[in-house]
Amino acid sequence: MRCKFLLFGATGSIGDSTLDVLRQRRDDFELVGFSWHNNAQKAAAIQADYPRAQSYSTAKVGHEAELRRLLDLEYDFIIVAIVGAAGVVTTLEAARRGATILLANKESLVIAGDIVMAAARAAGATFVPVDSEHSSLYRLLKGAGALETHAHIRCAYLTASGGPLRHLSGDDFYNAPRETVLKHPTWVMGQKITVDSAGLANKALEVIEAHHLFGLPYEKIQAVIHPQSYVHAMLMASDGTVSQHVSQPDMRYPIAHAMYYPGEPPVDTVKGNTPESYPLFEFYPIDEKKFRAYALGRKAGQMGMYHSAVFNAANEAAVAEFLEGNIRFGEIAELIERALDAKYAAYDHTTIAGLLQYDSAARALVSQFAHTT
Ligand code: NAD
Ligand code: MG
């Protein structure tokens, strides 16, 4: 019996890697539905490969009904590979239905982690991480018998490559041009996450994601720069010893691992993962003065309530302004800081509607700041 699945955000980078795994494993999996946003040509090519799959565009009016139509189909798991805040509606609806959710869209948990995880617990939904660091951390925690209780875990480490600006500082970092920012040294990804990775906002999003996925307190989640991106996560036990989870930087590993959950992929996902071929591994602390977006995001996560939703929205809006050429790279962190410092109306941060009001208010502020400074 083939496992049936839905793929939301099929036309993106995670969508590409998922469809690549599917091509190699057609005997094990079947795509029964997918969504796409505005890349109609790519969506048509996917539809031609999988003619029986149901599909819809999230750019069309009334697409929420289409989401429910797909979620009413019969499937074993869903993959949320939509980028940004737009993914939260899909993740939450799937959590409420008790689905097995393979989550790439970290922004869902950053905006509304408490609400999404509570809905998942109430309906018996399961989250399986797709983000590489979280997939590795899941495997390390499982191996250590620490998925439920973290008593003998001193600290979990997420690694960050340091991105294309690792060697730049001062004005060179602040004014880094778009072409440089989009040239990630180790991972091939969509534009938004590539910009997030250059300023390490992505690592702050991932710290918050790990907090919600694994229930780890923030002081037990640290991040470290590892330029080679072979070690994805590390786990320090209470005796100070450290386990690492290692592979070449290729998203097909965590995607295949999630697709076979709760089992393990039966064959190599990517060829050539042998230790004698590995580069020398280096590890460095994160300079939080330079990577301000990382420090701001971590703090927002720790402050809880609506702060991480504001961090996420401000970051998304500022990254869009940067990609459109309206602001300099260093202004992304400045705009996030201004949005986090701003006063907001007292929306209800315990509801998704309230959090989306904070999201809209933060975006409006960033747009106003970006066009008046
Ligand atoms: P991408 O930009 O390549 O693709 C995103 C997908 O989302 C596309 O199918 C696009 O059509 C769709 N989309 C865009 N705007 C939308 C909207 N408003 N509503 C609904 N759908 C929309 O992004 P990506 O790099 O594949 O990343 C997807 C998610 O996975 C992000 O949350 C990212 O942080 C996470 N992630 C990506 C990688 C990676 O290697 N690319 C690694 C880890 C985590
Ligand atoms: Mg990651």
Side-chain angles (χ1 to χ4, degrees):
M1 269 285 278
R2 294 192 293 172
C3 278
K4 295 180 172 161
F5 73 102
L6 304 174
L7 176 57
F8 295 97
T11 49
S13 162
I14 291 286
D16 286 345
S17 298
T18 304
L19 294 171
D20 201 35
V21 172
L22 176 60
R23 266 189 290 278
Q24 299 171 32
R25 313 285 168 83
R26 276 190 189 250
D27 292 343
D28 293 342
F29 301 103
E30 181 185 350
L31 181 70
V32 292
F34 67 93
S35 81
W36 50 284
H37 199 60
N38 42 23
N39 192 338
Q41 210 179 351
K42 200 161 170 184
I46 299 171
Q47 190 73 73
D49 281 347
Y50 304 96
R52 287 168 51 196
Q54 308 270 328
S55 67
Y56 71 96
S57 165
T58 36
K60 294 218 173 95
V61 179
H63 66 87
E64 295 84 359
E66 297 283 296
L67 166 65
R68 289 191 290 275
R69 181 173 67 85
L70 255 63
L71 288 174
D72 283 342
L73 297 173
E74 205 182 291
Y75 49 86
D76 297 286
F77 61 83
I78 76 160
I79 303 184
V80 188
I82 291 169
V83 63
V88 75
V89 176
T90 305
T91 306
L92 185 58
E93 184 63 26
R96 285 178 175 150
R97 289 167 180 244
T100 297
I101 304 163
L102 280 49
L103 189 71
N105 180 256
K106 61 194 87 182
E107 294 91 343
S108 300
L109 293 183
V110 174
I111 296 166
D114 291 333
I115 294 171
V116 169
M117 295 314 284
R121 274 191 299 276
T126 303
F127 277 98
V128 189
V130 167
D131 213 347
S132 55
E133 298 79 1
H134 304 71
S135 173
S136 287
L137 188 54
Y138 171 84
R139 294 172 83 153
L140 289 167
L141 287 166
K142 187 175 163 196
L147 274 174
E148 306 300 330
T149 163
H150 309 123
H152 61 286
I153 298 306
R154 188 180 300 174
C155 188
Y157 290 92
L158 310 176
T159 62
S161 72
L165 312 183
R166 187 166 71 88
H167 295 296
L168 301 185
S169 55
D171 287 351
D172 293 336
F173 180 83
Y174 193 91
N175 296 317
R178 196 185 127 110
E179 313 79 73
T180 309
V181 170
L182 287 176
K183 237 182 244 142
H184 198 279
T186 50
W187 295 98
V188 180
M189 310 182 285
Q191 280 199 336
K192 188 252 176 189
I193 183 176
T194 304
V195 179
D196 287 352
S197 298
L200 261 59
N202 182 52
K203 215 44 57 179
L205 297 173
E206 292 188 352
V207 166
I208 301 169
E209 180 187 12
H211 166 74
H212 290 293
L213 275 179
F214 303 114
L216 283 162
Y218 282 102
E219 58 278 13
K220 286 195 178 192
I221 313 168
Q222 299 301 330
V224 62
I225 290 187
H226 165 52
Q228 292 75 26
S229 301
Y230 269 62
V231 177
H232 309 295
M234 298 184 269
L235 199 59
M236 182 180 276
S238 47
D239 68 351
T241 58
V242 176
S243 311
Q244 301 180 329
H245 194 251
V246 184
S247 74
Q248 304 109 303
D250 190 316
M251 285 309 293
R252 289 173 297 176
Y253 280 115
I255 291 169
H257 176 261
M259 288 172 77
Y260 280 98
Y261 172 90
E264 298 286 334
V267 290
D268 296 20
T269 305
V270 184
K271 300 290 173 216
N273 186 34
T274 51
E276 60 274 23
S277 67
Y278 291 167
L280 203 61
F281 293 173
E282 300 165 283
F283 299 98
Y284 303 104
I286 292 176
D287 176 350
E288 294 197 6
K289 285 209 172 64
K290 171 176 160 180
F291 293 112
R292 274 172 73 192
Y294 171 72
L296 289 166
R298 240 197 115 85
K299 193 169 142 213
Q302 273 165 315
M303 288 171 79
M305 301 198 297
Y306 61 85
H307 293 94
S308 53
V310 166
F311 171 73
N312 181 71
N315 178 55
E316 268 184 53
V319 168
E321 297 286 355
F322 171 72
L323 286 171
E324 281 163 26
N326 298 333
I327 60 169
R328 287 171 291 179
F329 179 74
E331 288 178 274
I332 296 176
E334 290 175 1
L335 293 179
I336 295 172
E337 186 160 23
R338 290 177 71 179
L340 281 169
D341 286 347
K343 293 266 172 286
Y344 294 89
Y347 308 120
D348 184 357
H349 67 266
T350 64
T351 66
I352 194 76
L355 286 171
L356 292 176
Q357 284 176 300
Y358 282 106
D359 176 291
S360 301
R363 284 172 202 266
L365 279 180
V366 167
S367 166
Q368 187 193 324
F369 295 151
H371 295 273
T372 52
T373 47

